Structures are given as structure tokens and as C-alpha cells.
């Protein structure tokens, strides 16, 4: 207990120092903080830390075992790369929001009870939404609100499930749930987790919000929300058949939309759904091999997906454009960004000697060994689509294709360094998978570099490439958007607003009229009677009080001038301070 | 500039690259006849060259089907949501 420092605490308390540090110190601090947290995670030994009784509940802040360690390992490592990538950003609110977001994610990772899970779960949602709002466009503000509403909805499902489960088990322990004993409570918790994992059909918030986030914000967002959800699913729901099926549906669904999308970061967002689908399927299959695969793939995915978002973000940062139909011919001006992006692209596609090859295959082999040939083949089909849109279509139309006439420079040095380092890690894991396999919760006997696996992968990739170049013309990006499940809530909400404007406001106006004409007359009659008494007796006393009240009212009015976002920020800040102080005590 | 030139050189030799890739495709299928197969989980695992056909047909289908859907029901103008 004494020697164990919760890494979430480092980020959450560390965030408050950021605005007070001058330029160069701030940059050093932003790199030292995650480096120290990473070191802390490396030093951890399995055990239970920071557990106490609160209101009769057993609260466990620090459950350290192999499963939580592998996620904490990559979360802290990723935070270093993310802060390095965003080091040039002047807006302090972004690293601060990222700190709360990462802190929430680590809090969930080490939580041993549902109450702790829930609190940090909400912290993630509120921390991350500021990374969307920080872009400060009308589109990002609206997308941020939709993102927040969806996550509040997911949080409520989770909370309802937690309450119901408490009712019939009498404890809040966050432990493995056997599929046979699962009832409404367990499935509500599952649905709450599934929303954050972007499981179809609860996925639409992801490709809606991520492309609207800031360049650096999206790099953070692509790493934490969905992978924390994979962690909690792996913790509580391994072997649930519904997850195996839905996971495979996600892998296909994501690549299908990515094939027709135009916005670079939206293509990558759909591929998060697809890649997280592999992990969800791995959890659902639930064997040691498949669960290892889910963790390994989460680890590898965080790195190469961040790399892809960094590459696409570099283009957006330097050109101000993210739609493929507005881009093209950048290879002469941003060759390094292209090379780093392509490393991410071939890692996600599972090229031999890159990280996807050694992580994705654990899940696919897991499906095969558990005798789910259909799931296995569909996952291989999804990897065809992955190479097609992330490995070929996106870089082709952004860096080659037609010449857009843009002549951007390479991005700032810190962004290039972050991309270079991440590229190296993707390659390192690919050629030395043991480094990754040693972190996994179960011992690994699988060998990715078998002749059959090698041959299968190379064939699929080469012939996907052939198909791409044959149908290149058909894939020319179009300046369009594609309908997805967010259509439902966006249209229903628009309908609600319309109803509000017409019907409810109409009724309100009618009522106001009635009130004005009838009630006011009666009131005025009363008032005349009172005023006579008032003028003589009470005025003297009241006047003085009134002046005092008005003065106070003015002060309140000044405090109320801000918008809803500022209130949320303030409320969050107070919340974190209270929680932080409580934890320290 | 070195990197831009390197990529330019690759682009200028597109014909050579294409030839190499075609040769590589033929080679992988040829090798696929020779490699040992331990415990196949799926009938395709036993057929040499199966995954080549799978990758090629999968890619074409994905593009055709999704582009078809995009041009009929899914695709909308960019100001669709106002």
C-alpha cells in the first residue's frame, strides 16, 4: 500500500500543474509524467492494493494482475507517444483533458469493484469529450454533445446493471461472470461495456466524434475508450457467445464502411470498430489462446492505430484538409509522414514482420482451434478489407492519385519523432513477438512464423492488392457522407426539436397569453391594494435590503455568463478535486 | 528530399515493380503447393492457392457491393444533417 502509487493519480493530479508551467518546462513535464507512470507500471508486482471499506462497500482501487498489467503497460506507453506528438500544441486544455482521460482509463484498469469502475468510466467520457470540443468548430461542438449523450446513456446502462447485480449478489466485486448465471443485470453491464467497445449497433458515436476531434485529441481517443472496454469485457465476460458473433460482425461492418468513406480519419475510425471487433471476438471465444490474442491485439492495435491517426493528423495539421477528395500528390512534400503512415498501414494489415501479423493471428488461430471456421474465415475477409482501405486506398489517394496542388511542409519535429518511435515499436513487436507475448495473461505456445500462416497471409495481401489496382477507378473518393446508425438518433432528435419548436412552444404561447390577460388582471388588483399598505409601512425597511440583494444578484449574473461547456469543465474540475482529495486521505 | 526522391524513383519504375509483384504472386502460389499443413481448421486450408482466390474475390466483392450500396441508399450530400 505504501509503496504502490496509483498511476491514474499521477495523471489526474499531474494535470493541474500543466497550466502553471512555462514553455520549455511544460514540454519536459509532459514527457516526464508519462515516462514516470510507465516506470511505475513496470515496477508493479501482482497483488491487491488500496482497498478499503466505504459505506459498507469493499472498494478496491488497485488490483494488479497480468491482465490489468498488460493494458496498463500499453496505456502508459501510449500516453508518452501521444504527449510527444502533441508537444507543440499551445492550448493547455488538451493535455489536461488527455490527463483526465488517461487517468480514467487507468483507474478502470486497476479497479477491483464496480463502483470504482463506474466513477473512472464516467471520467473517461467527460475527459475525452473536451478533446473533441477543443477543435472549436460548430461540427465538433455538436459531435461532442452527441458523443457525450451516447456515453451517458452507456453509463446509465452500466449503473442500472451494477445496482441490479448488487441486489442479488450483495457485493460489487468486479470479477469474471460465468455465462450460465448471467441475467438481466449482467447483460445490462455487458451492454454498457459494449457501447464503449463500439459494438454494433452501439457504435455510431465513434465514427461520428473521432474525426471531429483535434489532431492530437484523436490520437489519444483512438487508444483508450475502446481498449479499456476490451479490458473490462475480458475481465468479466470471457466466453460469452454473443461477443464472439458481434465481434466478427464488427470486423466486417467496419471495413465495409471504410471502403466507401471519404474522410481520412473517418476511414480510420471505422477501422477501429473493425479491429476492436477482433478483440471482442477473441474475448467471446474465450479460450486461453483467444484471450491472449485479444490482449496482444489491443496492445499492437493501440500503437499502429495511433500511428495511423498521427499520419492522417499530420496531413490535416499541415493542409487543413482531411477528405481524400480534396487531397492527393503529397508524396513530394510529406514523404516521411507517408513512410510512417505506411508502416502503420502494413502493421494493421498484418504484414509479416509487423505487429498485426503476430497479434491478429492469435485470435484467428483461436477461432480455428475452438472450431469456429466461419468466424475464422470472416475475420480473414475483414483483413482483406483492412489492407484495401487503410493500407492501399487511403495512402494512395492522399499521397498519390491526382495532384491536388497542395504543397505542405512536413509536420513539426515532435510529431515526426512520435511517428518514428511508434513505427519502430510496430516493427519491433513484429520481429520480436516474444517481447509482447511475455506480457500476456496466459503462457503462449503459438508460433506466428509458421510456413502455413506466412503463405496464407502473403497470398491474401498480394491478391487484395491486385484487386485494388484493377478497380482503382471505382474507388475514387466522392465528396459524400454515408448513413450509419447515428441517423436514428440524429433524425429522432431533429424530430423532437421540431416538435418542441412547433407544438410545445405553441402551447406555451397560448398559456402565456391566458396568463397575461386573466391572471395579470387579478394580480394587478391585489397589487393595488397592497401597494397602499406597502408605501406607508414597509418601504423604508425593504429598500435597504433590496439594494443589497441587487448587488449580490449582479455578482451572480456575472458568474452565469458562460456556456454549458464551461460549466461542465468547472463541474468536472470540482469533481476531480473532491475525488483526488478523498483518495489521498 | 532524399525520401521524396526515393519515392519518385519507385514511381518512375512502376513497370518493374509490377513485374516483380506478378512474379511474387506466382511464386507464393507455387510455394503454397509445397508447404506442410498441420491440423487445418477449414477446408480451404488444404487447397493450394485458396487464399489467393479468397483475397482477390473478397476484395472485388467488397468494392462492388459497398460502392453499390453507397450509390443507392447510404451515400448522401455532405450537408445532409444540416
Amino acid at each position: 500500500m505504501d509503496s504502490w502509487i496509483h498511476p491514474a493519480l499521477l495523471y489526474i493530479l499531474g494535470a493541474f500543474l500543466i497550466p502553471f508551467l512555462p514553455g520549455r518546462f511544460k514540454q519536459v513535464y509532459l514527457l516526464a509524467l508519462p515516462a514516470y507512470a510507465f516506470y511505475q507500471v513496470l515496477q508493479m508486482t501482482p497483488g491487491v492494493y488500496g482497498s478499503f471499506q466505504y459505506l459498507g462497500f469493499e472498494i478496491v482501487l488497485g488490483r494488479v494482475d497480468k491482465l490489468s498489467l498488460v493494458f496498463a503497460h500499453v496505456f502508459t506507453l501510449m500516453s508518452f507517444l501521444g504527449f510527444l506528438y502533441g508537444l507543440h500544441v499551445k492550448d493547455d486544455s488538451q493535455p489536461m483533458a488527455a490527463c483526465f482521460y488517461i487517468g480514467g482509463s487507468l483507474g478502470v484498469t486497476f479497479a477491483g469493484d464496480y463502483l470504482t469502475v463506474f466513477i473512472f468510466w464516467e471520467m473517461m467520457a467527460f475527459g475525452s469529450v473536451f478533446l473533441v470540443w477543443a477543435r472549436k468548430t460548430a461540427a465538433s461542438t455538436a459531435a461532442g454533445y452527441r458523443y457525450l449523450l451516447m456515453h451517458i446513456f452507456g453509463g446509465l446502462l452500466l449503473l442500472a446493471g451494477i445496482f441490479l447485480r448488487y441486489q442479488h449478489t450483495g457485493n460489487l466485486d468486479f470479477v469474471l461472470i460465468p455465462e450460465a448465471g448471467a441475467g438481466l443485470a449482467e447483460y445490462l453491464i455487458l451492454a454498457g461495456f459494449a457501447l464503449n467497445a463500439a459494438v454494433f449497433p452501439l457504435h455510431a458515436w465513434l465514427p461520428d466524434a473521432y474525426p471531429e476531434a483535434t489532431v492530437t485529441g484523436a490520437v489519444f481517443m483512438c487508444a483508450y475508450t475502446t481498449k479499456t472496454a476490451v479490458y473490462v469485457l475480458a475481465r468479466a465476460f470471457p466466453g460469452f457467445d454473443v461477443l464472439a458473433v458481434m465481434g466478427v460482425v464488427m470486423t466486417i461492418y467496419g471495413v465495409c464502411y471504410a471502403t466507401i468513406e471519404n474522410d481520412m480519419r473517418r476511414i480510420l475510425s471505422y477501422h477501429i470498430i473493425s479491429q476492436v471487433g477482433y478483440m471482442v471476438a477473441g474475448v467471446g471465444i474465450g479460450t486461453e489462446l483467444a484471450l491472449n490474442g485479444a490482449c496482444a491485439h489491443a496492445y499492437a492495435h493501440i500503437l499502429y492505430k495511433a500511428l495511423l491517426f498521427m499520419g492522417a493528423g499530420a496531413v490535416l495539421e499541415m493542409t487543413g484538409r482531411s477528405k481524400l477528395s480534396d487531397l492527393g500528390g503529397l508524396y513530394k512534400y510529406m514523404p516521411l509522414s507517408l513512410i510512417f503512415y505506411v508502416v502503420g498501414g502494413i502493421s494493421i494489415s498484418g504484414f509479416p514482420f509487423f505487429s498485426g501479423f503476430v497479434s491478429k493471428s492469435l485470435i484467428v488461430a483461436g477461432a480455428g482451434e475452438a472450431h469456429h471456421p466461419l468466424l475464422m474465415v470472416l475475420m480473414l475477409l475483414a483483413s482483406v478489407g483492412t489492407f484495401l482501405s487503410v493500407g492501399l486506398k487511403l495512402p494512395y489517394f492522399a499521397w498519390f492519385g491526382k495532384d491536388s496542388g497542395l504543397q505542405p511542409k512536413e509536420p513539426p519535429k515532435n510529431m515526426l519523432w512520435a511517428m518514428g518511435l511508434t513505427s519502430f515499436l510496430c516493427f519491433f513487436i513484429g520481429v520480436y513477438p516474444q517481447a509482447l507475448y511475455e506480457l500476456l495473461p496466459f503462457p503462449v505456445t503459438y508460433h506466428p512464423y509458421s510456413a502455413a500462416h506466412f503463405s496464407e497471409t502473403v497470398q491474401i495481401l498480394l491478391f487484395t492488392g491486385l484487386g485494388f489496382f484493377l478497380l482503382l477507378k471505382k474507388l475514387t473518393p466522392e465528396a459524400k457522407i454515408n448513413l450509419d446508425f447515428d441517423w436514428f438518433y440524429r433524425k429522432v432528435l431533429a424530430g423532437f426539436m421540431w416538435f418542441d419548436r412547433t407544438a410545445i412552444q405553441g402551447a406555451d404561447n397560448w398559456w402565456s397569453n391566458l396568463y397575461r390577460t386573466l391572471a395579470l388582471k387579478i394580480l394587478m388588483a391585489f397589487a393595488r391594494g397592497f401597494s397602499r399598505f406597502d408605501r406607508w409601512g414597509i418601504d423604508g425597511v425593504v429598500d435597504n435590503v433590496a439594494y443589497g440583494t441587487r448587488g449580490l444578484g449582479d455578482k451572480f449574473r456575472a458568474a452565469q455568463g458562460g456556456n454549458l461547456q464551461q460549466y461542465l469543465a468547472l463541474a468536472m474540475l470540482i469533481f476531480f478535486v473532491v475525488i483526488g482529495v478523498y483518495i489521498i486521505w | 528530399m532524399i525520401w521524396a526522391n526515393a519515392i519518385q524513383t519507385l514511381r518512375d519504375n512502376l513497370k518493374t515493380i509490377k513485374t516483380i509483384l506478378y512474379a511474387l504472386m506466382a511464386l507464393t502460389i507455387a510455394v503454397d503447393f509445397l508447404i506442410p499443413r498441420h491440423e487445418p481448421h477449414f477446408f480451404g486450408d488444404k487447397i493450394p492457392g485458396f487464399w489467393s482466390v479468397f483475397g482477390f474475390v473478397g476484395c472485388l466483392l467488397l468494392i462492388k457491393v459497398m460502392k453499390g450500396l453507397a450509390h443507392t441508399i447510404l451515400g448522401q450530400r455532405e450537408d445532409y444533417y444540416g
Side-chain angles (χ1 to χ4, degrees):
Chain A
M1 175 80 208
D2 297 322
S3 59
W4 195 76
I5 301 173
H6 200 310
L9 203 63
L10 290 176
Y11 289 94
I12 293 165
L13 293 181
F16 292 101
L17 216 56
I18 293 172
F20 300 107
L21 294 170
R24 189 56 75 173
F25 281 108
K26 182 172 353 205
Q27 295 190 328
V28 173
Y29 176 73
L30 282 177
L31 293 178
L33 181 74
Y36 180 63
F38 183 60
Y39 173 76
Q40 277 291 325
V41 171
L42 289 181
Q43 296 300 312
M44 274 180 204
T45 45
V48 174
Y49 308 89
S51 80
F52 55 90
Q53 292 285 327
Y54 176 70
L55 300 176
F57 298 117
E58 170 86 16
I59 302 293
V60 179
L61 290 176
R63 171 180 46 194
V64 181
D65 58 12
K66 288 214 86 170
L67 183 61
S68 50
L69 272 181
V70 60
F71 280 89
H73 196 275
V74 68
F75 284 161
T76 44
L77 177 63
M78 176 59 223
S79 70
F80 179 83
L81 299 167
F83 280 122
L84 178 59
Y85 185 77
L87 218 53
H88 62 286
V89 174
K90 294 274 175 283
D91 174 14
D92 282 340
S93 70
Q94 289 192 49
M96 285 182 79
C99 273
F100 290 130
Y101 180 37
I102 298 161
S105 187
L106 287 165
V108 172
T109 309
F110 288 117
D113 66 285
Y114 278 114
L115 214 59
T116 314
V117 167
F118 180 76
I119 289 171
F120 284 112
W121 196 257
E122 294 300 302
M123 188 189 286
M124 282 171 66
F126 281 89
S128 54
V129 75
F130 285 91
L131 295 173
V132 181
W133 281 336
R135 186 126 176 245
K136 297 191 177 100
T137 61
S140 73
T141 306
Y145 277 116
R146 287 195 297 273
Y147 171 86
L148 195 57
L149 283 174
M150 280 308 277
H151 280 279
I152 289 172
F153 172 66
L156 288 175
L157 291 179
L158 176 60
L159 193 63
I162 292 172
F163 283 158
L164 283 177
R165 187 169 160 77
Y166 180 71
Q167 209 170 34
H168 71 80
T169 61
N171 65 56
L172 289 172
D173 298 347
F174 177 39
V175 289
L176 189 143
I177 296 169
E179 191 177 13
L184 175 66
E186 285 73 20
Y187 279 101
L188 278 173
I189 295 175
L190 179 70
F193 288 167
L195 189 137
N196 268 31
V199 173
F200 173 87
L202 302 170
H203 65 280
W205 57 269
L206 197 158
D208 181 20
Y210 284 16
E212 303 299 343
T214 62
V215 168
T216 49
V219 171
F220 284 110
M221 293 180 80
C222 72
Y224 293 97
T225 303
T226 47
K227 260 61 73 184
T228 309
V230 169
Y231 164 77
V232 290
L233 288 173
R235 171 70 70 187
F237 299 99
F240 273 55
D241 287 335
V242 60
L243 289 179
V245 175
M246 292 318 289
V248 172
V249 169
M250 287 163 73
T251 62
I252 301 285
Y253 191 87
V255 296
C256 282
Y257 269 84
T259 310
I260 51 176
E261 259 303 327
N262 182 26
D263 187 292
M264 281 191 296
R265 297 199 299 169
R266 194 156 276 131
I267 293 176
L268 296 177
S269 297
Y270 275 114
H271 271 282
I272 297 179
I273 298 179
S274 175
Q275 294 297 306
V276 172
Y278 284 97
M279 301 165 215
V280 171
V283 170
I285 293 164
T287 58
E288 286 193 358
L289 179 60
L291 279 173
N292 267 345
C295 298
H297 204 45
Y299 196 107
H301 171 88
I302 284 178
L303 296 177
Y304 61 64
K305 180 59 76 178
L307 179 55
L308 293 168
F309 265 93
M310 288 178 190
V315 171
L316 173 60
E317 176 87 9
M318 303 316 289
T319 66
R321 304 180 188 188
S322 64
K323 289 178 194 148
L324 289 180
S325 52
D326 301 338
L327 291 164
L330 300 182
Y331 73 98
K332 285 179 210 147
Y333 311 103
M334 301 180 76
L336 275 175
S337 304
L338 168 63
I339 291 167
F340 293 140
Y341 176 89
V342 167
V343 171
I346 59 183
S347 296
I348 192 177
S349 310
F351 267 66
F353 310 117
F354 289 89
S355 60
F357 182 78
V358 304
S359 63
K360 186 158 54 177
S361 52
L362 285 173
I363 302 174
V364 177
E369 282 193 6
H371 306 293
H372 295 296
L374 181 65
L375 299 187
M376 187 185 96
V377 170
L378 286 174
M379 282 196 264
L380 287 170
L381 180 64
S383 66
V384 169
T386 306
F387 184 45
L388 171 66
S389 43
V390 179
L392 295 167
K393 175 183 138 180
L394 196 159
Y396 180 84
F397 287 108
W399 275 277
F400 301 102
K402 69 168 170 44
D403 195 347
S404 59
L406 294 166
Q407 303 192 346
K409 289 197 190 66
E410 289 279 14
K413 283 227 163 56
N414 62 302
M415 290 168 80
L416 287 173
W417 269 103
M419 288 192 267
L421 261 176
T422 319
S423 299
F424 169 75
L425 288 170
C426 289
F427 177 66
F428 178 74
I429 293 172
V431 291
Y432 187 60
Q434 251 54 46
L436 174 59
Y437 288 174
E438 272 163 21
L439 298 171
L440 299 180
F442 304 105
V444 180
T445 52
Y446 178 79
H447 295 289
Y449 289 99
S450 70
H453 180 218
F454 202 93
S455 168
E456 171 192 304
T457 311
V458 173
Q459 285 186 58
I460 290 179
L461 292 173
L462 275 176
F463 281 86
T464 302
L466 180 65
F468 170 76
F469 281 106
L470 283 181
L471 290 185
L472 191 54
K473 284 225 169 61
K474 264 198 153 311
L475 276 169
T476 308
E478 296 159 86
K480 275 181 166 183
I481 60 160
N482 296 299
L483 300 184
D484 197 350
F485 269 65
D486 56 342
W487 183 88
F488 289 101
Y489 54 81
R490 293 174 83 163
K491 280 292 169 186
V492 167
L493 276 183
F496 179 75
M497 293 293 280
W498 175 84
F499 179 73
D500 187 44
R501 264 200 309 276
T502 53
I504 294 183
Q505 240 171 44
D508 191 46
N509 285 343
W510 178 81
W511 173 250
S512 303
N513 277 334
L514 188 75
Y515 179 81
R516 254 201 302 278
T517 47
L518 206 69
L520 273 184
K521 271 199 180 121
I522 299 167
L523 270 176
M524 288 304 276
F526 264 110
R528 270 194 294 274
F530 276 119
S531 72
R532 235 168 259 151
F533 166 70
D534 186 49
R535 219 172 299 150
W536 296 109
I538 306 181
D539 257 16
V541 184
V542 171
D543 271 1
N544 290 320
V545 179
Y547 284 127
T549 314
R550 198 177 66 187
L552 204 65
D554 280 346
K555 288 211 178 71
F556 267 117
R557 217 179 22 247
Q560 286 172 344
N563 60 14
L564 195 54
Q565 276 150 284
Q566 284 163 357
Y567 282 133
L568 268 174
L570 190 69
M572 243 178 74
L573 221 61
I574 294 169
F575 175 78
F576 290 143
V577 171
V578 170
I579 293 272
V581 167
Y582 188 81
I583 291 173
I584 294 169
W585 279 89
Chain B
M1 224 38 219
I2 311 165
W3 297 108
N5 289 339
I7 295 167
Q8 188 63 50
T9 317
L10 287 178
R11 259 177 86 84
D12 293 341
N13 295 297
L14 219 54
K15 270 231 164 70
T16 327
I17 293 173
K18 267 187 189 168
T19 320
I20 293 172
L21 283 175
Y22 284 130
L24 216 57
M25 286 175 199
L27 184 73
T28 48
I29 295 182
V31 169
D32 205 35
F33 278 91
L34 304 173
I35 58 163
R37 288 179 164 72
H38 307 291
E39 42 173 338
H41 302 296
F42 172 66
F43 76 90
D45 279 335
K46 289 173 232 157
I47 306 168
F50 173 84
W51 295 111
S52 300
V53 180
F54 180 85
F56 185 65
V57 174
C59 180
L60 297 190
L61 270 179
L62 198 58
I63 297 173
K64 287 275 184 190
V65 171
M66 286 319 291
K67 275 288 169 184
L69 282 174
H71 288 149
T72 47
I73 41 174
L74 293 178
Q76 297 289 345
R77 283 180 294 108
E78 284 182 320
D79 57 357
Y80 176 76
Y81 286 115

